[in-house]
Amino acid sequence: MEPRFSCTACGKCCHGWLPLTLADAVAHAGRFPLAMVWTPVRQNARSYELATRLGATVRLPNRKTVAVLIVPTAYLPTSHPCPELREDGLCGIHEDKPSRCRTMPFYPYREEKDQADLLIPRKGWQCDTSASAPVVYANHAILDRKDFDRERGDLLDQAPVIQRYADYVLKYMPWIVDELAKLAAKPTGGNLVTSLSSFLTATRRPDAVEIAAAQAPLFRAMAERTRDDPALRDYHRNYSGWAKEMEALARRK
Amino acid sequence: MSSCPCCSGRSFEDCCGPILAGEPAPTAEALMRSRYTAFVRHELDHVERTHAPEIRDDFNRGEAERVAEESEWQRLDILRAAEEGDSAVVEFQIQFRKDGKDMRHHERASFRREDGRWLYVSGEVNPKGEPRRVVKVGRNEPCPCGSGKKYKACCGK
């Protein structure tokens, strides 16, 4: 049976982390509090080869090589809705929304032939997968592939910048390799988060000051919103710390 | 007179004070100490201007300001300092508290002197020990014990 899928605009997937292309992260820097999310992909994983092209490759202390996806991400707690999700459940920036939102439920960080399970709605999601919904995926191929190809293309184009960032972090924060090794050894996988300030410094973007100035108030506001929730203590600490980092960077000439 | 934050036992005015104010550090170790003191006193300009030019753009000033501010600096220990002409290596350990946890930073840092000023060039965090070198002594060579005899007739018997 060919999988069918139609979005019902339930807004359930508009919560928590949102992986962005670098171009989208910069374009929406005044909207989303950003962080860099690192996800090791092991050599025996189906998406390993693709991950080596989209991300960086890192040699671990055990002499194994892993691919690492390093993705600029709208860094929101899982329970938090996207700041642009309106009361009526629709998107406040539908015309300009990021590639990631357009391509859902497909996911270009995985091979095109390996997308079928993404069409199964997650718990609580109200996606329409009934016979009345259109066929969107057939013979392991995406039928309307415009958004998928655009997002994948942007990810491939930005890969050299991501590799440069990885080189910087491995040089100046060498202990991250041990953390990546730990994550890679876990059967469930996992990820770690680094600051946007390290990315701005590593890539020497000429617009770093503007991006930092846009980010600082977002981090401040999120620090405030997460202050009293013990479950979000790590988020709160990151938000407050990164707010200071962005304020310091924004003061640079 | 306050004692210098770098744990030298001298007063700030006789130790890191003048270096933070812009005087050249007399030794690489003195520069290292003054860079630590700059973190303690939140005077990050000093840290930034004592970076070698090739790494200046790699300095994450935002993060450094945050670390300086959020950490409770406890002590600096210089484990080893060696200068040779215009280059030097200083190995040090810093103890500090951050987010309620006791932390240690152990680094072997390289320095270079340019126009009479020491600059921080690079650092290896949690450095590995120097590789052990094994020198093979030939049987007919003088014995390394200094006896003057051939090795084979002395310790190599």
Side-chain angles (χ1 to χ4, degrees):
Chain A
M1 203 185 78
E2 283 171 331
R4 294 168 177 271
F5 188 94
S6 175
C7 173
T8 61
C10 72
K12 288 289 181 339
C13 68
C14 309
H15 286 68
W17 287 6
L18 174 65
L20 296 165
T21 64
L22 184 50
D24 278 336
V26 171
H28 297 278
R31 193 165 271 134
F32 304 126
L34 298 167
M36 304 299 289
V37 174
W38 298 53
T39 311
V41 179
R42 283 196 283 191
Q43 273 176 355
N44 57 7
R46 263 180 293 190
S47 56
Y48 175 77
E49 190 277 330
L50 176 62
T52 63
R53 289 188 288 137
L54 300 183
T57 48
V58 174
R59 232 169 111 85
L60 300 178
N62 64 9
R63 296 203 220 134
K64 281 189 183 148
T65 300
V66 282
V68 185
L69 295 171
I70 307 172
V71 183
T73 298
Y75 181 73
L76 299 165
T78 321
S79 55
H80 279 226
C82 172
E84 298 298 341
L85 183 63
R86 295 192 318 211
E87 291 280 305
D88 61 2
L90 297 180
C91 176
I93 52 165
H94 184 70
E95 297 306 317
D96 308 305
K97 68 184 182 186
S99 256
R100 183 78 292 272
C101 314
R102 293 177 191 279
T103 313
M104 276 295 275
F106 296 117
Y107 190 59
Y109 301 84
R110 275 165 52 171
E111 296 288 359
E112 181 179 359
K113 60 179 189 288
D114 182 27
Q115 304 274 328
D117 60 315
L118 299 168
L119 296 167
I120 304 165
R122 287 189 222 168
K123 200 162 172 265
W125 291 13
Q126 290 158 35
C127 324
D128 179 8
T129 53
S130 70
S132 60
V135 174
V136 290
Y137 189 65
N139 302 318
H140 301 287
I142 296 168
L143 299 183
D144 179 359
R145 46 182 319 115
K146 184 170 77 334
D147 294 330
F148 182 89
D149 286 346
R150 191 172 82 142
E151 190 177 3
R152 169 72 69 75
D154 286 350
L155 295 174
L156 286 168
D157 289 347
Q158 75 191 33
V161 181
I162 297 297
Q163 180 69 56
R164 199 182 322 147
Y165 174 58
D167 294 342
Y168 173 92
V169 172
L170 294 173
K171 180 175 174 192
Y172 289 102
M173 301 172 229
W175 52 85
I176 208 165
V177 174
D178 298 323
E179 291 179 44
L180 290 172
K182 261 185 242 158
L183 291 172
K186 278 206 290 192
T188 49
N191 37 47
L192 65 90
V193 177
T194 54
S195 66
L196 183 69
S197 79
S198 61
F199 180 80
L200 294 178
T201 306
T203 53
R204 302 178 185 180
R205 296 184 63 94
D207 54 359
V209 173
E210 289 83 40
I211 294 175
Q215 287 281 294
L218 298 176
F219 281 133
R220 274 273 164 253
M222 287 308 293
E224 190 59 31
R225 281 179 62 189
T226 51
R227 198 184 50 193
D228 300 321
D229 188 343
L232 301 181
R233 213 175 53 208
D234 289 347
Y235 278 95
H236 175 71
R237 195 169 56 218
N238 281 336
Y239 290 137
S240 338
W242 292 341
K244 285 184 208 159
E245 295 185 10
M246 288 301 149
E247 282 156 10
L249 287 180
R251 282 196 300 269
R252 310 272 277 167
K253 58 188 174 278
Chain B
M1 298 272 272
S2 58
S3 74
C4 193
C6 83
C7 310
S8 63
R10 289 185 283 155
S11 73
F12 175 67
E13 290 76 10
D14 287 336
C15 187
C16 294
I19 303 171
L20 287 185
E23 276 184 28
T27 62
E29 181 184 333
L31 180 74
M32 175 55 231
R33 289 180 173 281
S34 71
R35 285 167 54 90
Y36 170 78
T37 300
F39 268 90
V40 178
R41 294 170 58 94
H42 306 175
E43 295 183 30
L44 277 294
D45 283 349
H46 177 66
V47 174
E48 190 158 16
R49 68 170 178 247
T50 54
H51 277 138
E54 66 269 25
I55 61 156
R56 223 159 263 174
D57 288 339
D58 282 352
F59 180 54
N60 187 347
R61 178 71 181 254
E63 187 188 54
E65 299 231 359
R66 171 190 170 190
V67 169
E69 191 183 318
E70 289 183 355
S71 306
E72 190 187 312
W73 302 99
Q74 293 171 321
R75 63 179 289 136
L76 165 70
D77 287 297
I78 303 290
L79 306 177
R80 198 169 68 89
E83 275 183 31
E84 209 179 298
D86 284 337
S87 59
V89 173
V90 180
E91 191 172 328
F92 62 92
Q93 183 164 275
I94 294 170
Q95 289 177 43
F96 60 105
R97 264 183 90 75
K98 189 168 181 289
D99 303 326
K101 275 185 249 161
D102 286 318
M103 314 279 276
R104 263 162 214 267
H105 175 88
H106 179 190
E107 179 175 338
R108 184 157 60 215
S110 302
F111 294 83
R112 186 174 74 225
R113 187 157 50 192
E114 256 177 38
D115 303 326
R117 285 181 179 269
W118 284 104
L119 300 170
Y120 174 89
V121 179
S122 64
E124 193 190 341
V125 181
N126 298 330
K128 297 187 185 73
E130 299 277 347
R132 203 172 289 175
R133 266 172 242 165
V134 179
V135 181
K136 206 167 178 205
V137 184
R139 284 178 38 80
N140 286 312
E141 284 172 28
C143 189
C145 80
S147 66
K149 291 185 201 162
K150 285 184 177 181
Y151 180 61
K152 69 181 177 190
C154 185
C155 302
K157 226 176 215 173

